[in-house]
Amino acid sequence: MTSAPRLRFAPSPTGFFHVGGARTALYNWALAERLGGTFVLRIEDTDESRNSPEWTQGIIDALGWLGINSDSPQFEGPYFQSHNADKHIAAAHRLFEQGNAYWCDLTSEQIQERAKASGKPGYDGFSRDRALGAGIGHVLRFRVPQGLTVVHDLVRGEVQFANETIEDFVLLRGNGSPMFLLANVVDDIDMAITHVVRAEEHLPNTPKQQMIWNALGAQPPLWAHVPVLVNEQRKKLSKRRDKVALEQYKADGILADAMVNYLMTLGWAPHGDTEIVSWSTMVEQFRLESVNHSPAFFDVKKLEAFNGDYIRALSPSDFIAACQPWLTASDVAWTPAQFDVAVFALVAPLIQTRVAVLGEVASMVDFFFLAEAPIDDASWAKAMSSEWARDVLDECAREYATCDWNHDSLKLVLEAIGAKRDLKLGKVQAPLRVAITGRTVGPPLFESIEFLGRDRTLGRIDAALLRLA
RNA sequence: GGCCCCAUCGUCUAGUGGCCUAGGACACCACCCUCUCAAGGUGGCGGCACGGGUUCGAAUCCCGUUGGGGCUGCCA
């Protein structure tokens, strides 16, 4: 126990990196940092049928995005479980020689038939005393001892399992390859892991794994099972049903810091009345003992609220830089030639308080870069329906042709036009806004007009007048 | 079905026997601000699943009920 803490994160590369995995990784990372320990990344790629190498890089990239940087001194790995197969098999044979495991030649079908006949589900220990040897199709099963297995869990306390409720589970498949339960433990022992922090779905595996630790003569680690993340139906987040890919949220324009902060608060809360806190504060305050015991709903609305806070906290230049990928994406409405960075730099402060995710930025500034206002039909119908709309626009065109070109005078001019007709600015700005921006909502109008310039503004008003005729 | 876990506003949580008339955040509603929409400010709505104990005193401890969830693979 005098050795430095060693934690591990052990994902299997079977798809896009999952937000639930991200939270588990973050808990491990935060703990490693506070405890002065090591975070070991181990890719559990022993499922021959579902693994694909490209997912591994995705995991590493996603972790890096979250700040779990493989260049950091507290990071170790990645290791690949498949590279350790020899050790897993050696351990299995040792368990057999010690009498902790035995060979069994029953097929899955035969086991099912026996279970059906006896009325008891699962494997009944049929081969326990048949003294079979290794052979084609023979699986090696752990001989679960009598008694009680007590798991000391840092988040849940003491959890007891009657061993008689645990069947003799498989260690080695019929083809000789090691299974998760075994490989996982052998690697943890081999890598001197001291803390196993993982999702609650692994709790039922824990007594089995603890038996393997003991049988292998090793001191079991400190266990900690954190609650699973669920969807609105309160079911565990699934890749099939739910939007769980971290990459997807990144593509939508969620900031890494916001994602990290939000994920950390799912099942845990920092001290005080605010949940928006720095990473260093979370590291300092995070305790497994204070992690909640019940499943947490992954609420995208709240994630986006956190993100909005983080966006507003960005300096103007950082915000501009953060927007770049969404301004130069292939699906933007304008051509690269139409885009003007200088103009965007001018308008960026106007939209920084108006977006929750960066993906919204492009559609909010498109009218600056398009040749014509991108008219939204519903907005047009709403703003141009008044009998005075055309008249106001007409006068506006004349006044704007000669007035001073700054947002204050542009506003004053329109205000005066409205006053003549006994209309508030809130009213008269509507047709002008739609003529210029195409929509009824958007960034402050007069600043936008100022940045757009006199020629293009007059052109858009004329276009609107023409359309109105 | 069996084993295990869990139970505070709709959601995420604070709360570890008296500071609780239960605090904050998201969402929602209202008002203020205001050129639209946001942002910001102020206020509001809204919760200890239920039933028994223990105790002078229970959201907090115990038991039961109910309700959720996880696992139950020669997947991880």
Side-chain angles (χ1 to χ4, degrees):
Chain A
M1 280 320 277
T2 51
S3 54
R6 288 174 63 79
L7 298 92
R8 48 55 148 201
F9 178 59
S12 58
T14 56
F16 287 111
F17 191 53
H18 194 288
V19 289
R23 188 194 55 167
T24 302
L26 250 11
Y27 281 176
N28 275 286
W29 186 248
L31 237 28
E33 184 169 338
R34 184 170 61 79
L35 269 24
T38 302
F39 172 104
V40 178
L41 174 63
R42 185 174 68 231
I43 305 295
E44 306 219 320
D45 55 346
T46 49
D47 179 347
E48 66 297 320
S49 61
R50 294 195 302 158
N51 286 326
S52 181
E54 75 248 32
W55 300 124
T56 297
Q57 191 55 47
I59 290 170
I60 293 169
D61 291 345
L63 290 176
W65 182 64
L66 294 173
I68 300 178
N69 196 323
S70 55
D71 294 333
S72 162
Q74 93 185 24
F75 187 104
E76 189 178 304
Y79 295 111
F80 293 87
Q81 187 156 71
S82 60
H83 297 178
N84 299 338
D86 289 351
K87 286 179 185 167
H88 306 152
I89 292 167
H93 287 293
R94 198 180 132 199
L95 289 171
F96 172 70
E97 280 150 24
Q98 292 174 354
N100 294 307
Y102 60 90
W103 294 99
C104 176
D105 60 357
L106 255 38
T107 63
S108 304
E109 293 71 30
Q110 290 173 310
I111 291 169
Q112 272 179 30
E113 281 168 26
R114 291 182 60 82
K116 204 171 173 184
S118 70
K120 290 177 188 162
Y123 178 69
D124 61 1
F126 178 70
S127 299
R128 272 200 157 211
D129 303 311
R130 292 170 63 216
L132 257 35
I136 303 281
H138 292 195
V139 301
L140 186 70
R141 287 184 179 272
F142 189 80
R143 188 189 303 275
V144 174
Q146 302 270 295
L148 192 71
T149 298
V150 180
V151 171
H152 296 279
D153 190 288
L154 259 21
V155 347
R156 280 152 214 288
E158 207 172 79
V159 186
Q160 302 191 342
F161 299 85
N163 290 5
E164 66 204 27
T165 66
I166 301 171
E167 67 178 40
D168 288 346
F169 52 92
V170 175
L171 260 17
L172 250 31
R173 299 187 182 91
N175 65 8
S177 66
M179 294 233 358
F180 158 76
L181 251 14
L182 204 224
N184 190 264
V185 170
V186 172
D187 284 350
D188 282 347
I189 293 173
D190 190 47
M191 296 172 188
I193 298 303
T194 58
H195 297 61
V196 171
V197 180
R198 68 216 314 195
E200 190 194 349
E201 65 209 64
H202 287 289
L203 192 50
N205 290 326
T206 310
K208 301 178 189 175
Q209 295 194 310
Q210 189 161 284
M211 287 175 200
I212 300 176
W213 277 80
N214 288 143
L216 254 16
Q219 166 82 33
L222 261 20
W223 306 104
H225 291 89
V226 303
V228 295
L229 261 31
V230 298
N231 62 19
E232 45 282 281
Q233 276 79 240
R234 299 249 119 211
K235 299 285 188 197
K236 188 174 74 162
L237 247 32
S238 110
K239 287 175 183 169
R240 294 215 47 159
R241 285 190 302 258
D242 309 304
K243 179 174 169 183
V244 297
L246 204 65
E247 288 87 345
Q248 183 65 63
Y249 289 100
K250 179 186 177 188
D252 288 348
I254 295 290
L255 263 20
D257 287 348
M259 180 58 92
V260 167
N261 196 159
Y262 177 66
L263 250 18
M264 287 295 289
T265 64
L266 246 27
W268 173 80
H271 306 329
D273 276 350
T274 173
E275 301 173 298
I276 307 280
V277 294
S278 67
W279 173 251
S280 62
T281 299
M282 292 189 279
V283 167
E284 186 184 311
Q285 298 181 352
F286 183 75
R287 296 289 183 283
L288 286 169
E289 293 77 4
S290 58
V291 169
N292 254 303
H293 297 181
S294 35
F297 170 52
F298 184 80
D299 186 353
V300 178
K301 273 277 201 322
K302 188 159 181 176
L303 202 213
E304 291 183 352
F306 269 48
N307 203 53
D309 268 18
Y310 273 89
I311 285 177
R312 276 169 249 127
L314 253 25
S315 71
S317 59
D318 284 348
F319 175 67
I320 292 166
C323 289
Q324 286 311 310
W326 287 271
L327 298 171
T328 55
S330 57
D331 61 347
V332 291
W334 55 82
T335 65
Q338 287 177 307
F339 183 67
D340 186 336
V341 214
V343 170
F344 181 72
L346 250 25
V347 299
L350 303 181
I351 62 167
Q352 191 168 354
T353 60
R354 292 176 166 77
V355 294
V357 295
L358 265 12
E360 296 173 342
V361 170
S363 67
M364 210 164 270
V365 299
D366 57 356
F367 67 90
F368 283 108
F369 308 118
L370 264 12
E372 296 171 1
I375 302 292
D376 169 66
D377 291 337
S379 294
W380 177 273
K382 189 177 174 194
M384 301 301 185
S385 61
S386 59
E387 65 280 6
W388 44 262
R390 190 197 155 81
D391 190 33
V392 164
L393 249 23
D394 195 58
E395 184 168 352
C396 200
R398 286 199 305 277
E399 297 292 337
Y400 277 6
T402 57
C403 76
D404 284 348
W405 203 256
N406 61 71
H407 63 267
D408 282 333
S409 57
L410 289 164
K411 179 182 175 186
L412 255 25
V413 165
L414 187 65
E415 236 162 4
I417 293 173
K420 280 195 224 170
R421 297 160 176 79
D422 207 25
L423 293 167
K424 297 262 195 205
L425 186 56
K427 285 276 188 192
V428 283
Q429 61 93 38
L432 214 217
R433 177 180 292 279
V434 173
I436 301 299
T437 73
R439 305 185 192 89
T440 53
V441 302
L445 221 212
F446 306 104
E447 281 88 341
S448 297
I449 293 175
E450 179 185 333
F451 300 150
L452 198 59
R454 198 188 301 266
D455 289 350
R456 299 177 71 196
T457 298
L458 262 22
R460 287 188 187 190
I461 296 176
D462 283 347
L465 251 14
L466 210 59
R467 180 169 171 153
L468 231 31

